[in-house]
Amino acid sequence: MSHDNSHAHHEPIPYHVFVIVWIALLVLTGITVGASIFFPGVIGITVAGIVTPLKAFLVMYWFMHLKYEGPAMKIMVASAMIILLILLAGLLGDILFR
Amino acid sequence: MSAHGEAAHAVHKDYEGAKIGMWLFLFTEVLLFGGLFVLYAAYRSVYAAEFHHAAGSLNVFLGVFNTVILLTSSLTMVLSVSAMQKGDVRSSINALFWTFVCALGFLVNKYFEWSYKIHHGIYPGSEEMAAHHDKGEVLFYGLYYMMTGLHGFHVIVGMICMGFIYYHIRKGWITPDDYVKLENVGLYWHLVDLIWIFLLPLFYLAA
C-alpha cells in the first residue's frame, strides 16, 4: 500500500520507538525539575532553556511524525519555527536590552 | 500529483493536504500562545522578584505530575495512530480511551489546583490580591490563570475531538486505510502537550 506519490501513509513504525521517546521525555523532565530544585538560579534556568526546546523537538519529530514526513512538510514546519524564533528574538531583545 | 492509475477507482483524498492544513492551524495556535509567552517575558523582566516569589507558591509536585500525565497521553495518542496504521482497530480505540482518561486526570488535577488557590483568595480581581499582593504578583497570577486556563480549554477541546474520532472509528468512517482524521487529532493533542512542556518551567519551576 505504499504509493510512490503519497507520504501520508508511511510504513508502520514499531511501538517501541514511541515508548523510548516517551521515556526520554520523562527523563528530560526529571533533569529540568532536578536542576530547578538543586541548582536554582542561573544553572536551573539554563538547563530548562536547553532541555525544554529539546523536549519540544522530540515531540514534534517523533510523536508528530515529522521524521516520517516528506521534505515539503519538514521545510514548512522549520520555516514557521524560524519565523517564530525571529519574532521572539526581536521582541525579547527589545524587552531585555531596552 | 498526476493522476495515477491506482487512484482511478477511489475517491480522491489528499492526505498530505489534510495534514498541511492541520499544521497551518497549529501555527496559529503557536502564535496565540507565543504572544502570551512574550507577555510573560516582558512582565517578568520588570517584576523579576515578584514573579520569583509568586511562582514559589505553586505546587511543583502537581505541575510535574500533570506533565507526566500529558506526556503519557501523548504516547497513548501516538500509539493509537500507530495501531490504526497497523490495522489493529481495537488497540487503536483502547489507546484513544487511555488518552481521554489522561486528559480527564489532567483536568481533575487542574481543578483541585485552581480551587485551592481560589479558596485562598488568589484569583484575578480578588480583594485578597488587592490587599496583600503587589502588582508583580497580581500580574503573575493573571498570566498563570490566563495561560493555564487557555491551555485547559484546549485540553477540553481535545477531549471533544477524541469523542468525535471514537464515533467515527465506531461508524467505520476511520479505517486502517483512511485515518487522517485520527492523525490530525493526534497532531492537535501533541501541540497541547507541547504547550504544557513550556508552561511547566515558566510557572512551576520559576521559583
Side-chain angles (χ1 to χ4, degrees), chain B residues 21-89:
Chain B
M22 192 65 201
W23 273 102
L24 287 176
F25 167 66
L26 296 186
F27 294 158
T28 69
E29 294 276 45
V30 167
L31 267 187
L32 172 67
F33 279 94
L36 288 167
F37 284 128
V38 169
L39 199 61
Y40 174 96
Y43 281 137
R44 189 175 174 161
S45 71
V46 180
Y47 300 101
E50 290 86 345
F51 268 49
H52 188 82
H53 179 245
S57 77
L58 292 183
N59 189 327
V60 178
F61 175 77
L62 263 184
V64 174
F65 186 51
N66 261 348
T67 305
V68 172
I69 289 177
L70 269 197
L71 288 176
T72 307
S73 77
S74 249
L75 172 69
T76 54
M77 181 50 103
V78 80
L79 290 180
S80 173
V81 175
S82 214
M84 183 59 80
Q85 201 175 24
K86 291 181 169 74
D88 188 352
V89 177

Side-chain angles (χ1 to χ4, degrees), chain A residues 3-5, chain B residues 1-12:
Chain A
H3 310 290
D4 58 344
N5 66 339
Chain B
M1 300 281 271
S2 59
H4 286 234
E6 278 174 304
H9 62 88
V11 178
H12 174 71

